[in-house]
Amino acid sequence: MVQAVHHHRPTLKQQNKPFKSKHASKGSLKEAAKGRLANTTPKQLSATSTASQLRQNRRNQLKQAQTHKRHALVSATRIFNGVDGAPRVVAIVPLTQDVDPRNTAVSLQESLDVPTNDIPDSGIWRLSADRFKTSLQFVTVPYNRFYSALDACKVADYVVFALSSEVEVGPWGDTLLRALQAQGLPEVVTVVSSPSPMDTKSKPGIMKSLLSFIQYFVPSQTRVFDLHASSDKLNAVRALCEGKPEDVRWREGRTHLLGESVQWDDGTLSVTGVVRGAPLSANRLVHLPNYGDFQISKIMSAPLRKHSKGGHVGGMDVEPTLLAEPDEESADSLVSSNDPDDMANEQTWPTEEEMRGAPGDSEIGDDAVPEASKGTTPKAVKKIPKGMSEYQASWIIDETDDEEGEESKEGPEEMEEEEEMVDMPIRDEDDTEMGTDGRRSVAFQDLDMEEEDKQLKTWRGRKREEDDDLAFPDEIDTPMDVTARTRFQRYRGLRSFRTSPWDPYENLPRDYARIFQFEDYKRTERNVRRRAGEEGYGIEPGTRVTVYLKDVPQDAAQGHGYPFAIFSLLQHEHKKSVLNFTVQRNTEYDGSVRSKDPLILCVGPRRFRVNPIYSQHTRGGGKGANNTHKFERYLRHGTTNVATVYGPVVFGNQPCTLLRETENPQAPDLVAMGTFRDAATTRIIAKRVVLSGHPFKVHRKTATVRYMFFNSDDVNYFKPIQLHTKHGRSGHIKESLGTHGYFKAHFDGPISQMDTV
């Protein structure tokens, strides 16, 4: 018998770890690789290279970054350095009534040991801060001057908010802070400038409360300076004189100039100041707030007098020289709208039969209508645009519709034409530019009792209409005194709101031919900015010049109390087009905001009156296959909508605010804020109306519906349109029942009597 050999299980064998050298030589690594290269991703390469950097390399990187930041800071503040440097513009804005902006400027000037006797009560003055080797230019804004504060902050490098330790900030100051926050703020310094100093015990609590308040609007604030303490006054001036002012995004690539002296002579306005922002070109138009756009006739130098070695102003006057003049070929024109040519449209030549059948001039005049025969109905004359067919003309209503009830249609979904955008034709900018002075406000009109009662009922019913529209969006009741096919003949039924075809150029009003349309708006903006950078000429920032503007009204030079500023425009920014803004309601405003309500639009340096209409904002910027967006009757809280207006072209993501005028012209309500979206003239804004009916009798998939129409002709007219229910069923009208608008409908599934058609 052979003895069996015992074998251990292989799992019990000891497995020793293979030898791995942490410090393998380069030769051994190359021999192991056998010429193969590792396929590493870019992230692995960057991580490997970062990990393998030596300490000296990391130190060099940090040093280079530090040097780069230092050079950037020096180049950004070089415009302010030296005796002849440009002054830092400081706007002093009081937020309470007991704060005097002049006293605030005096307190800041006292910390520099400079006499304060020559400080004017209002306006602009320059202060030399020799201790910090720079100069300041104060712009004081009186309390309750809303638009002056907005304009001052547009051109300022620093904004000083003056608070009070005794009076709280009221609704006016709160609205101003929200408007400035939406407009874009430069560097902010907050001070307490009360008439009397604070009590020692209560001072820490008051300062902490004021800091918490200002941080809600300007989170970057870390300290509030008390101007009754000498150390805080010096620190506040140091914050203004040192460092780099924060840039405002919408001012990038644009030139602005704060007028130190303004003179008007025979239609020519001369504005003297320091060029800031981008180089100033004489070929571009400039915008004067509240007055419009103007051309530059010439730009002259305006150097200050040279200082002698003793510090006194000597008699060394430097003669002004001509710096730039506009080029006739390259200069922008003031043409803002097109002149439509009616002869460019399609012309139909009359046939010989039509010419023979035409009555003579002696029988009937050109515009006369023949009298109707006795016992017949007089012929109604309907005015329609040229070139419109009979089918298109049948959609036009002879009588003016009451637009109060028109909103939307789930059966017939209709897109109103672009004429619904603004309830006014395009006018010259002089008409739309608003005057912010109280003297330009509308005079009071004492209404009679009948008109007063009518307006009161309208005001009370408006809130009720808004609540109904929120509860039953787009639903309206079919009128009983007017047939539905007449009431809704301007609407059409669409199977799909997003994909059904719609021609954006169908039946446009004649005024729509006056606006400008861009083939590719974004590409045009890139080309305009690229050409502005390639021109390579212009007055460099920091140069003190005198700009001469042509054809300016004399009222522009008499705007005392305003910070007088001019802004350069990019090419094409004077032309009129359709502007779309993405806006959101102000959470603190509780009033009703309806489409076509008159508002004041502030966008970039412009401010003008508009009647915007609102439409849905598609998330992600999508516009669907037909670029159709649903008309919104009201601007509501918590949702983002698109406001559409006629206005001059805007380039860049400009911030915008919508204001509503009140009894006090200098205390408007902030309605909404947002940013500029695009200048799309083919964006279709469609009104949508839902007609609802009640299922009177139900048998499985068939139902008898009533209260949607009130005569059989309307049922037959709307028969091709698909029906929907609240519970998701879809169907169609089979036949009309009787003469009172009842009809039989068939659906794709069983329908409940609790449903709504």
Side-chain angles (χ1 to χ4, degrees):
M1 183 176 179
V2 181
Q3 187 177 1
V5 181
H6 178 71
H7 295 280
H8 288 287
R9 286 178 297 176
T11 56
L12 296 179
K13 288 186 178 181
Q14 181 177 354
Q15 298 288 338
N16 293 329
K17 294 174 65 176
F19 175 74
K20 293 190 299 184
S21 175
K22 217 175 198 181
H23 307 286
S25 63
K26 293 182 179 179
S28 61
L29 292 176
K30 287 181 180 179
E31 186 178 355
K34 301 293 186 181
R36 294 187 298 268
L37 296 176
N39 186 15
T40 57
T41 62
K43 290 186 177 180
Q44 291 175 343
L45 283 174
S46 60
T48 306
S49 61
T50 303
S52 63
Q53 277 185 345
L54 298 177
R55 181 180 299 177
Q56 188 64 30
N57 292 345
R58 293 196 297 270
R59 284 181 178 176
N60 289 337
Q61 260 193 341
L62 293 175
K63 188 175 181 180
Q64 290 174 359
Q66 183 183 27
T67 306
H68 178 72
K69 288 183 179 180
R70 186 173 298 167
H71 287 326
L73 179 63
V74 170
S75 61
T77 57
R78 185 179 292 122
I79 186 177
F80 304 116
N81 294 338
V83 179
D84 298 330
R88 298 169 184 254
V89 180
V90 180
I92 301 178
V93 181
L95 298 179
T96 56
Q97 193 170 4
D98 63 333
V99 174
D100 187 4
R102 182 183 182 278
N103 293 339
T104 303
V106 168
S107 300
L108 294 173
Q109 189 167 343
E110 287 176 350
S111 62
L112 297 174
D113 299 330
V114 178
T116 60
N117 300 329
D118 57 344
I119 296 180
D121 294 335
S122 62
I124 303 172
W125 73 92
R126 186 165 177 165
L127 170 64
S128 178
D130 297 334
R131 177 173 181 175
F132 300 100
K133 298 181 180 179
T134 187
S135 58
L136 302 176
Q137 192 172 31
F138 289 106
V139 181
T140 57
V141 180
Y143 180 77
N144 201 23
R145 298 299 292 270
F146 189 87
Y147 297 105
S148 298
L150 293 182
D151 292 340
C153 294
K154 288 178 183 178
V155 296
D157 300 315
Y158 294 88
V159 177
V160 176
F161 287 131
L163 300 173
S164 173
S165 60
E166 302 172 359
V167 181
E168 292 185 355
V169 178
W172 182 88
D174 184 84
T175 303
L176 177 62
L177 286 173
R178 292 179 185 275
L180 290 175
Q181 188 181 31
Q183 174 181 283
L185 278 169
E187 196 73 24
V188 176
V189 175
T190 309
V191 300
V192 180
S193 180
S194 301
S196 58
M198 289 178 283
D199 184 46
T200 308
K201 293 184 179 180
S202 60
K203 180 177 179 179
I206 295 175
M207 297 293 285
K208 185 177 180 180
S209 175
L210 294 177
L211 178 61
S212 176
F213 169 78
I214 200 64
Q215 280 181 339
Y216 179 80
F217 300 98
V218 190
S220 60
Q221 291 294 282
T222 58
R223 184 177 179 183
V224 177
F225 300 99
D226 181 16
L227 295 187
H228 288 283
S230 58
S231 60
D232 275 10
K233 285 194 291 187
L234 185 60
N235 289 332
V237 174
R238 179 178 285 108
L240 297 175
C241 295
E242 293 182 351
K244 174 182 176 295
E246 186 177 352
D247 294 329
V248 182
R249 288 291 302 273
W250 69 267
R251 291 194 312 205
E252 293 180 359
R254 300 175 182 272
T255 309
H256 59 277
L257 184 144
L258 178 62
E260 301 174 7
S261 64
V262 180
Q263 294 180 356
W264 184 88
D265 183 19
D266 194 19
T268 301
L269 184 71
S270 60
V271 184
T272 302
V274 179
V275 178
R276 300 175 184 273
L280 176 61
S281 173
N283 292 329
R284 303 282 83 86
L285 300 177
V286 296
H287 177 73
L288 192 59
N290 304 327
Y291 294 98
D293 303 338
F294 301 96
Q295 289 178 319
I296 297 177
S297 61
K298 61 180 178 179
I299 303 176
M300 304 287 291
S301 64
L304 295 172
R305 290 186 176 182
K306 296 294 183 179
H307 291 261
S308 62
K309 293 184 178 180
H312 303 287
V313 178
M316 301 174 59
D317 292 337
V318 180
E319 291 293 331
T321 58
L322 179 64
L323 298 180
E325 280 185 326
D327 185 8
E328 294 183 359
E329 297 181 358
S330 304
D332 294 340
S333 67
L334 290 174
V335 176
S336 61
S337 60
N338 280 321
D339 187 11
D341 184 10
D342 294 332
M343 301 303 295
N345 298 331
E346 181 181 356
Q347 303 293 326
T348 303
W349 190 260
T351 61
E352 294 183 1
E353 296 179 358
E354 292 175 342
M355 296 177 66
R356 286 196 302 266
D361 296 338
S362 58
E363 300 177 8
I364 301 176
D366 293 339
D367 299 328
V369 179
E371 295 292 337
S373 302
K374 187 176 181 179
T376 62
T377 304
K379 181 179 179 181
V381 178
K382 181 186 295 184
K383 295 183 178 180
I384 62 174
K386 294 183 179 180
M388 180 177 291
S389 63
E390 294 182 2
Y391 167 75
Q392 295 170 338
S394 64
W395 291 72
I396 297 180
I397 303 175
D398 294 337
E399 300 176 356
T400 56
D401 277 352
D402 181 15
E403 294 294 337
E404 302 294 328
E406 274 186 39
E407 221 44 51
S408 62
K409 212 182 244 194
E410 184 176 326
E413 296 172 0
E414 157 68 4
M415 302 178 183
E416 291 272 334
E417 301 299 335
E418 310 323 357
E419 60 192 352
E420 292 291 342
M421 286 193 304
V422 180
D423 196 16
M424 59 180 180
I426 302 178
R427 299 175 292 176
D428 294 337
E429 191 159 336
D430 296 339
D431 299 334
T432 57
E433 288 287 338
M434 62 156 297
T436 56
D437 196 347
R439 295 172 297 177
R440 295 190 174 192
S441 60
V442 179
F444 173 74
Q445 183 181 4
D446 194 5
L447 305 175
D448 54 9
M449 293 300 297
E450 184 179 354
E451 183 66 22
E452 195 75 31
D453 184 61
K454 180 181 177 182
Q455 293 189 7
L456 178 61
K457 290 181 180 178
T458 303
W459 178 78
R460 287 177 175 174
R462 183 162 181 167
K463 181 64 177 175
R464 192 180 305 111
E465 289 179 4
E466 185 176 4
D467 295 340
D468 292 344
D469 186 68
L470 180 62
F472 306 100
D474 303 335
E475 292 190 22
I476 67 171
D477 296 330
T478 306
M480 299 182 63
D481 54 343
V482 181
T483 59
R485 62 185 182 277
T486 303
R487 173 63 177 84
F488 304 115
Q489 63 181 344
R490 297 175 65 184
Y491 291 77
R492 65 186 63 178
L494 298 181
R495 186 173 184 85
S496 174
F497 191 83
R498 298 295 178 191
T499 60
S500 294
W502 186 273
D503 185 8
Y505 300 102
E506 179 184 350
N507 292 346
L508 295 177
R510 186 178 186 276
D511 282 339
Y512 210 72
R514 298 173 57 191
I515 64 175
F516 286 85
Q517 177 184 0
F518 296 96
E519 183 178 354
D520 190 337
Y521 172 77
K522 291 296 183 183
R523 184 178 63 187
T524 303
E525 180 183 357
R526 290 194 299 268
N527 293 337
V528 166
R529 294 188 179 275
R530 177 179 53 81
R531 285 195 296 266
E534 291 177 354
E535 284 179 353
Y537 63 89
I539 313 303
E540 290 297 323
T543 309
R544 193 170 187 270
V545 299
T546 300
V547 181
Y548 292 86
L549 306 179
K550 297 188 295 185
D551 302 329
V552 181
Q554 190 174 2
D555 295 343
Q558 299 175 353
H560 300 293
Y562 289 97
F564 201 94
I566 60 176
F567 299 86
S568 69
L569 301 177
L570 296 176
Q571 192 177 11
H572 306 310
E573 279 195 328
H574 180 66
K575 296 178 172 61
K576 300 286 177 53
S577 186
V578 178
L579 308 183
N580 299 309
F581 298 87
T582 307
V583 296
Q584 280 186 325
R585 275 282 299 266
N586 178 21
T587 56
E588 301 298 321
Y589 183 71
D590 297 330
S592 174
V593 184
R594 188 173 182 174
S595 288
K596 299 185 184 179
D597 279 353
L599 299 174
I600 298 174
L601 173 64
C602 304
V603 50
R606 298 184 185 273
R607 181 168 56 243
F608 49 94
R609 303 179 191 275
V610 294
N611 295 70
I613 67 168
Y614 308 107
S615 57
Q616 280 187 344
H617 173 60
T618 307
R619 183 176 298 179
K623 57 183 181 180
N626 53 11
N627 195 14
T628 306
H629 306 268
K630 191 172 82 69
F631 172 83
E632 292 291 341
R633 195 174 180 183
Y634 294 94
L635 182 63
R636 305 188 185 279
H637 286 286
T639 59
T640 302
N641 294 112
V642 175
T644 304
V645 300
Y646 286 134
V649 174
V650 178
F651 287 130
N653 294 328
Q654 302 282 334
C656 73
T657 55
L658 290 173
L659 306 174
R660 172 172 283 173
E661 290 182 292
T662 59
E663 296 179 356
N664 184 1
Q666 291 295 332
D669 292 329
L670 178 61
V671 174
M673 66 281 290
T675 56
F676 175 72
R677 177 183 173 88
D678 55 20
T681 57
T682 57
R683 177 186 175 93
I684 300 173
I685 300 176
K687 282 186 176 182
R688 182 172 176 266
V689 171
V690 176
L691 302 181
S692 58
H694 171 62
F696 178 54
K697 293 181 181 179
V698 175
H699 179 67
R700 296 183 181 178
K701 298 182 180 181
T702 306
T704 301
V705 183
R706 62 177 178 177
Y707 300 152
M708 182 180 291
F709 307 109
F710 297 102
N711 59 76
S712 58
D713 293 338
D714 288 343
V715 176
N716 296 327
Y717 181 83
F718 291 101
K719 192 174 182 179
I721 299 173
Q722 191 177 16
L723 301 176
H724 301 273
T725 68
K726 293 284 188 181
H727 294 169
R729 297 298 182 190
S730 62
H732 61 277
I733 300 175
K734 292 187 65 177
E735 59 179 343
S736 175
L737 302 176
T739 60
H740 297 287
Y742 288 53
F743 62 87
K744 184 182 293 185
H746 184 76
F747 297 91
D748 59 352
I751 182 175
S752 170
Q753 200 153 7
M754 303 299 294
D755 209 343
T756 303
V757 180

